[in-house]
Amino acid sequence: MTTVGGKNFLAIHGGKPTLQGDFRRYNHIGQEELAAVVKVVESGVLSRFLGEWHQDFYGGPKVQEFERSAAEYFGVEHAVTVNSWTSGLIAAVGAIGLAPGDEVIVSPWTMSASATAIVHWNGVPVFADVEEDTFCLDPASVEDRISSHTRAIMAVDIFGQSADVEALTEIAQRHGLRLIFDTAQSPGARVGKAFAGTFGDVGGYSLNYHKHIHTGEGGIAVTNDPELAERMRLIRNHAEAVVAGKGTANLTNMIGYNFRLGEIEAAIGIEQLRKLDGLVESRQRIAARLNSGLSALAGLTVPLVRDNYTHVYYNYAMRIDSEAVGVDKSRICQALTDEGVPSLSTTYMNLHLMPMFQKKIAFGSEGFPWSPYANGRSVDYSKGTCPTAERLQDQSYLGFGLCEYELSDDEVDGVIEAFHKVWLHMDELASS
Ligand SMILES: *Cc1c(COP(=O)(O)O)cnc(C)c1O
């Protein structure tokens, strides 16, 4: 890839793009994973889960080894692997004993599964607003949305940094609420010395192919609570079918699922976990270079990292003050994209505005699980209920998909140069 001239015109106006050529996609699946997979295939054991009360109820050797190494890495008592983090979220929400009609306060600025995991148990998601500078749940808004029906908070460590762990933990404790962390995008991020995802009652990570580390599909739930860990293991493996044999007393939410991870994926996961530190460092290096190159641009805010927190940059989330800059963010995004900057996006999520919540249709078409449990209370998903998340979406958010490409220093410098070029020509962009 080479950086070419074209200082005189923006590419959007027919000039030469700053960056040319293809970026290398991250591929950290290598010889280590290949060797591990070959061994599993040679063993003939691709899975050893048995859906009945038996020593194989907890899975095969690689699944158990992966769980031991994940628990050790993240510094928790229990790691429970699952076949996706969506499954992990459903298992976690089930494990806390959510009952139909219970409300869970959740961020609207997240992937759909953070909220649908609640609906899967006939629970009602209540969206609280996010903090403008971190995109994570705003503790003040969480406190504001607590009702007599609230049972839990689902905090999301979005884009690579944890939500406000201290404030959310304090609120959860004061109100007697369960606290789940969806850390799908932030494995390896830290709060003090501890890892994001290890706070609250349960946390966990996605192993889907476009997350930091992956097994194709997969997930890991982490907890220090032995009862929650066991309930998640039960939900993972047809609880209903085994509880009689196991003698489980609490039958709440013991509905049978198959959320089991295979041995091949687990063997890959063991190798991937060994690479996490290095992958995190490479993203942090790119982000630091971007920070120093971009932070002087007027009207552009680079990602904030809280004191004592680390950021692992699943997404390099910027904000544009369109009024100060004088150009709409989508126009700026188009100009940058035309300069050759890959993987930019002006939108992420306002989950509360998705059709399922706007129409309140999930199970059947009669408003279940909202209507029968409303108890005179109507959960409001209308536009305006999460003004900061809406403003980020409509006006200021600009994300750079740092996780997708293995960018060299030259390429990062090219990205920075493209931003400077667009900023230099902002007047022309405004008038064209
Ligand atoms: C990816 C993701 C999930 C779901 O994980 P899967 O492993 O793809 O099911 C949940 N929450 C967030 C925030 C995510 O980014």
Side-chain angles (χ1 to χ4, degrees):
M1 160 122 50
T2 52
T3 301
V4 296
K7 294 255 185 242
N8 296 334
F9 290 102
L10 288 178
I12 202 171
H13 293 145
K16 263 189 191 156
T18 316
L19 289 150
Q20 287 185 332
D22 291 329
F23 293 90
R24 268 184 328 281
R25 292 212 159 249
Y26 258 110
N27 181 12
H28 45 276
I29 301 295
Q31 290 305 315
E32 302 81 4
E33 287 77 9
L34 181 61
V37 167
V38 167
K39 273 194 194 157
V40 171
V41 172
E42 283 172 353
S43 79
V45 180
L46 305 190
S47 177
R48 194 180 272 165
F49 273 104
L50 199 60
E52 60 181 74
W53 189 229
H54 179 277
Q55 63 183 17
D56 289 341
F57 177 73
Y58 296 111
K62 286 295 164 189
V63 160
Q64 295 197 27
E65 183 186 339
F66 185 28
E67 292 182 344
R68 281 193 302 273
S69 59
E72 190 181 328
Y73 180 88
F74 291 108
V76 292
E77 293 292 319
H78 307 277
V80 180
T81 58
V82 274
N83 58 2
S84 76
W85 179 233
T86 300
S87 302
L89 286 168
I90 295 171
V93 174
I96 64 169
L98 200 77
D102 282 350
E103 295 174 4
V104 180
I105 297 175
V106 60
S107 172
W109 192 265
T110 180
M111 187 254 172
S112 59
S114 315
T116 55
I118 298 157
V119 180
H120 272 286
W121 295 101
N122 302 322
V124 174
V126 173
F127 296 99
D129 209 355
V130 298
E131 298 172 328
E132 176 134 40
D133 49 7
T134 68
F135 306 88
C136 292
L137 266 183
D138 177 352
S141 178
V142 169
E143 184 115 40
D144 180 59
R145 308 274 148 114
I146 293 173
S147 80
S148 58
H149 302 278
T150 310
R151 283 288 308 281
I153 300 167
M154 168 83 73
V156 185
D157 299 336
I158 205 75
F159 293 159
Q161 178 177 222
S162 195
D164 189 336
V165 163
E166 294 89 345
L168 293 170
T169 303
E170 190 276 321
I171 291 170
Q173 284 173 353
R174 187 153 39 83
H175 293 272
L177 306 176
R178 294 291 205 159
L179 179 56
I180 298 172
F181 280 90
D182 177 350
T183 314
Q185 301 185 359
S186 308
R190 289 180 189 262
V191 180
K193 288 203 172 71
F195 282 113
T198 64
F199 299 89
D201 294 292
V202 191
Y205 316 98
S206 169
L207 297 170
N208 170 260
Y209 82 96
H210 55 73
K211 300 292 164 64
H212 278 72
I213 56 171
H214 77 93
T215 60
E217 303 288 351
I220 322 171
V222 290
T223 181
N224 288 312
D225 182 328
E227 191 192 337
L228 286 179
E230 191 61 8
R231 283 174 58 79
M232 288 192 290
R233 292 185 198 107
L234 281 163
I235 290 169
R236 168 175 73 180
N237 191 6
H238 303 292
E240 188 186 34
V242 299
V243 283
K246 188 177 185 296
T248 299
N250 181 0
L251 297 185
T252 310
N253 295 344
M254 288 297 120
I255 301 167
Y257 285 104
N258 176 351
F259 291 160
R260 308 176 305 207
L261 192 69
E263 288 288 287
I264 290 176
E265 289 82 0
I268 293 172
I270 292 164
E271 299 305 324
Q272 285 281 287
L273 201 52
R274 296 195 174 109
K275 298 183 179 180
L276 180 56
D277 287 345
L279 289 164
V280 162
E281 269 168 38
S282 81
R283 270 86 194 246
Q284 288 172 336
R285 214 167 38 239
I286 293 170
R289 204 171 179 93
L290 287 171
N291 285 343
S292 58
L294 299 179
S295 49
L297 292 174
L300 184 80
T301 306
V302 300
L304 173 110
V305 183
R306 285 180 219 273
D307 284 348
N308 206 31
Y309 283 47
T310 66
H311 200 310
V312 298
Y313 300 101
Y314 176 74
N315 185 325
Y316 185 84
M318 298 163 277
R319 280 177 292 136
I320 291 183
D321 182 342
S322 293
E323 258 172 49
V325 174
V327 181
D328 180 73
K329 71 165 174 173
S330 57
R331 182 90 178 133
I332 295 172
C333 182
Q334 190 57 57
L336 289 164
T337 301
D338 287 4
E339 291 302 328
V341 179
S343 193
L344 287 172
S345 173
T346 57
T347 56
Y348 191 63
M349 283 287 182
N350 272 194
L351 275 189
H352 60 301
L353 301 179
M354 294 288 134
M356 171 174 164
F357 301 107
Q358 287 299 303
K359 298 186 194 309
K360 293 186 179 169
I361 294 177
F363 297 97
S365 57
E366 303 295 319
F368 192 92
W370 291 274
S371 51
Y373 301 118
N375 303 325
R377 184 179 145 70
S378 170
V379 179
D380 186 3
Y381 296 134
S382 54
K383 185 147 185 161
T385 50
C386 296
T388 305
E390 292 163 21
R391 197 167 54 246
L392 286 166
Q393 180 84 333
D394 296 341
Q395 293 169 31
S396 56
Y397 166 75
L398 178 69
F400 175 46
L402 201 58
C403 226
E404 284 178 48
Y405 300 100
E406 206 167 333
L407 300 171
S408 67
D409 284 353
D410 280 353
E411 287 166 339
V412 176
D413 291 346
V415 169
I416 293 166
E417 194 185 326
F419 270 79
H420 279 267
K421 184 176 167 193
V422 168
W423 252 251
L424 201 65
H425 292 262
M426 204 60 88
D427 288 349
E428 292 157 38
L429 205 54
S431 59
S432 67

